[in-house]
Amino acid sequence: IAVARQFGLAGRVVLEGSGRALILAHRLARETHLKAVEIRPGSADLFDAAITLSTCAITPLIDQTAALLRDAGVRELDAPRLASALFEQTAAGYAHSGKQSWGWYIRGPEVQRILAQTDAAQINAAETGEMFRMLLLFGLGMFGKHPDLANMLGEWPAAPSIDPAYPQV
């Protein structure tokens, strides 16, 4: 058995399966001029999580970037375009160099500038400031870099307590 389905990128199809069915799915993709992205059997939820992370989960981050740009004085029409261009540039850099494209992978950040940015984001909007701080901590921890800055930014916030009235999945 093989499964072929669209996943949001034009001209591409994700294939999951094995054996002869997967071979036939690849052939059908080629015949219909689609680029096949093959995933391991049973990994559709992981693949879908990656799609969600790179689409729905990141849109609020792009929106907050545009809001910070507007609040800094960038014109209303230019802010979303500039935010989008910055994310596209970051994604293109990652496609070229992987994690080495992270601006602080080799050379460390200017700590005082980052602390000032964190304060400014917090003053501008508390939830944006906290998101900014958490994302910085996430990146620093993910790449295991610049523990001095991580210490200055503080601990990763504790996990929220689970409301017993909220249904668990």
Side-chain angles (χ1 to χ4, degrees), residues 67-91:
L68 287 170
L69 291 168
R70 279 191 294 275
D71 292 347
V74 173
R75 289 180 343 148
E76 183 72 29
L77 290 175
D78 292 337
R81 290 183 186 132
L82 183 55
S84 177
L86 289 165
F87 278 82
E88 287 175 18
Q89 179 178 298
T90 300

Side-chain angles (χ1 to χ4, degrees), residues 16-110:
E16 179 183 13
S18 60
R20 181 134 175 82
L22 184 59
I23 292 168
L24 290 172
H26 272 284
R27 188 172 78 204
L28 286 172
R30 276 192 310 276
E31 289 174 359
T32 55
H33 306 288
L34 295 173
K35 181 162 176 69
V37 177
E38 184 179 331
I39 62 173
R40 279 191 324 271
S43 66
D45 290 340
L46 283 175
F47 184 85
D48 291 346
I51 300 303
T52 298
L53 184 60
S54 63
T55 56
C56 298
I58 204 164
T59 302
L61 186 56
I62 298 168
D63 182 68
Q64 286 301 295
T65 300
L68 287 170
L69 291 168
R70 279 191 294 275
D71 292 347
V74 173
R75 289 180 343 148
E76 183 72 29
L77 290 175
D78 292 337
R81 290 183 186 132
L82 183 55
S84 177
L86 289 165
F87 278 82
E88 287 175 18
Q89 179 178 298
T90 300
Y94 185 83
H96 181 263
S97 303
K99 64 184 175 183
Q100 288 83 9
S101 67
W102 186 53
W104 304 331
Y105 193 78
I106 296 171
R107 195 178 93 203
E110 294 181 42

Side-chain angles (χ1 to χ4, degrees), residues 161-169:
S161 60
I162 303 295
D163 182 349
Y166 190 77
Q168 301 298 307
V169 179

